[in-house]
Amino acid sequence: MESMYTLLKAILEVGILFFVINELLYYLRNTRGSLVLTGALIGVMALALAANQLGLQVINYILSTLYASAFLALIILFQPELRRALAQLGSVMVWQGKKKREFIGELVAAVRDMSRRKCGALIVIERRIKLQMLIDDSIPLDIKVNALILESIFYPNSPLHDGAVIIRDDHILAARVILPLTRNEKISPRLGTRHRAALGISDETDAVSVVVSEETGAISITCKDEFHRDLSLPQLERLLEQYIIQKADSEIQETMLVMEECDNNGHLLNSTQEKGGPSRVD
C-alpha cells in the first residue's frame, strides 16, 4: 500500500513539473531571453562535455558553482517576462470583466443603430451549454465582436443577414444560423420568426438571445424562461451585464436553490412548476 502511495506521489510530482515546465516554455517562446538562454545552454553543454572528456577540473568546479546559481540567473534573465506574467495573473479577473464590458458596449452600439434603421437582427450569445452543432451547420466565422461587423452582417440583402449569429466569448463564430422555433403555444401570435427562434434556443439552452424587430425596431432579449420586450438601450445593457458578467454568481445561487428543492432521494420537488422570472412570455 505504501509503495502504491509513493508511486502515485511520484507520478503527481512528475505531472506537475511537466505542466509547469511546458507552460513556461510556451510562454517564453520567441522572447529575447529565450534566445539568450538557448545560446547559454549550448555553450555550457559544450564546455561541460569538453571538461569531462579532457578532465579539466577547474572548469568542472566553475560549472558546478554556476549550476547552484542557475535559478537566480534565470530570474534575472527573464525578469521582464516574469513580471508581465505575474501582472497578467493578478489581473485576470479584472481583465475578463473589462473584455466582457467592451463586448457588451459593441453589441449595444450595433443594436442601437439597427433599431434606429429597423434592421432585423438575431444575436445569440453562448454561455455554459455549447452550440457547436448549430455552428457546424452554418457559415463559420472567427471575428472579434465589433458593432460595424454586426451591422454589416444584418444589413438588408447581405448574403449573411438571414438567420442568427452565434457569439462565444467576444468572437462571432457563425452566421446564417438556423435556430429551432419555440413550441410554446401560449406566446403572442404577433411575434415573428426571429422572436420565435430566440425563444426556441432559450427553451433548449442557456444562451442569451438579442432580437431587433424588422417591423418596429423594438429590442427584445431572452434567456431561459425570461423574455423581455420593448427594451431601452440602458435596460438592454443592464440585462446583458446581468446575464454575461454576473452569470457565475447567479448560477451558483441557482444550483443551491435546486439542491434545496431536492428531497432525500435526490428527486426534484415541484418539478412541474414553472420557474419565475422578471418578465414572462406573452
Side-chain angles (χ1 to χ4, degrees):
M1 186 66 180
E2 185 176 352
S3 60
M4 180 64 68
Y5 174 77
T6 305
L7 177 61
L8 292 175
K9 185 178 178 181
I11 293 174
L12 178 62
E13 289 179 346
V14 171
I16 293 174
L17 287 174
F18 175 80
F19 175 78
V20 172
I21 294 173
N22 181 70
E23 290 298 316
L24 281 175
L25 292 176
Y26 181 79
Y27 180 79
L28 297 174
R29 71 194 190 284
N30 298 329
T31 61
R32 294 180 180 179
S34 64
L35 299 177
V36 175
L37 179 62
T38 303
L41 287 176
I42 293 174
V44 170
M45 291 176 63
L47 190 59
L49 181 62
N52 288 330
Q53 292 294 329
L54 300 176
L56 305 177
Q57 298 180 357
V58 176
I59 294 179
N60 278 328
Y61 174 77
I62 294 174
L63 290 176
S64 64
T65 305
L66 292 177
Y67 295 154
S69 57
F71 181 74
L72 181 60
L74 287 175
I75 293 178
I76 296 173
L77 182 61
F78 291 105
Q79 185 262 344
E81 289 82 5
L82 291 174
R83 183 173 57 187
R84 185 169 65 250
L86 292 174
Q88 291 176 354
L89 181 62
S91 61
V92 62
M93 296 304 296
V94 176
W95 176 247
Q96 289 297 326
K98 181 180 178 181
K99 285 178 60 178
K100 290 177 180 178
R101 284 185 170 83
E102 290 177 353
F103 150 65
I104 290 174
E106 293 289 336
L107 182 57
V108 171
V111 171
R112 176 196 62 205
D113 294 339
M114 290 187 290
S115 175
R116 289 175 181 173
R117 299 197 314 265
K118 295 183 180 180
C119 176
L122 176 52
I123 303 168
V124 179
I125 305 157
E126 184 185 77
R127 295 175 71 205
R128 287 183 301 173
I129 300 176
K130 301 303 179 183
L131 307 175
Q132 194 60 46
M133 291 185 63
L134 294 174
I135 294 173
D136 293 339
D137 293 335
S138 60
I139 305 298
L141 300 172
D142 189 5
I143 309 172
K144 187 174 182 180
V145 172
N146 180 278
L148 295 178
I149 294 294
L150 287 171
E151 292 177 46
S152 65
I153 289 175
F154 290 108
Y155 191 80
N157 299 323
S158 165
L160 301 178
H161 83 282
D162 284 333
V165 299
I166 292 180
I167 297 175
R168 177 182 296 167
D169 296 329
D170 60 346
H171 278 69
I172 303 171
L173 291 191
R176 210 170 179 180
V177 182
I178 305 301
L179 302 180
L181 301 181
T182 181
R183 299 180 181 179
N184 190 343
E185 299 178 354
K186 297 180 181 180
I187 66 173
S188 171
R190 294 176 298 174
L191 295 179
T193 304
R194 284 192 179 90
H195 291 85
R196 294 176 181 273
L199 291 169
I201 196 65
S202 295
D203 291 341
E204 300 183 7
T205 71
D206 62 347
V208 178
S209 299
V210 179
V211 184
V212 179
S213 172
E214 188 173 354
E215 296 180 357
T216 64
I219 303 169
S220 305
I221 190 171
T222 71
C223 182
K224 294 185 178 179
D225 59 353
E226 298 181 10
F227 180 35
H228 305 262
R229 299 176 60 187
D230 300 324
L231 297 174
S232 64
L233 291 174
Q235 289 175 328
L236 173 65
E237 185 173 6
R238 185 169 62 252
L239 286 170
L240 286 172
E241 289 184 356
Q242 174 185 333
Y243 291 140
I244 297 172
I245 298 179
Q246 304 171 7
K247 68 177 183 177
D249 293 337
S250 62
E251 287 166 358
I252 292 174
Q253 293 175 1
E254 181 181 348
T255 302
M256 293 177 64
L257 180 61
V258 171
M259 291 175 65
E260 291 175 358
E261 292 178 349
C262 290
D263 59 15
N264 293 332
N265 295 325
H267 299 296
L268 281 176
L269 299 176
N270 301 325
S271 59
T272 58
Q273 296 179 0
E274 279 190 335
K275 177 185 174 184
S279 177
R280 306 298 303 175
V281 178
D282 289 346

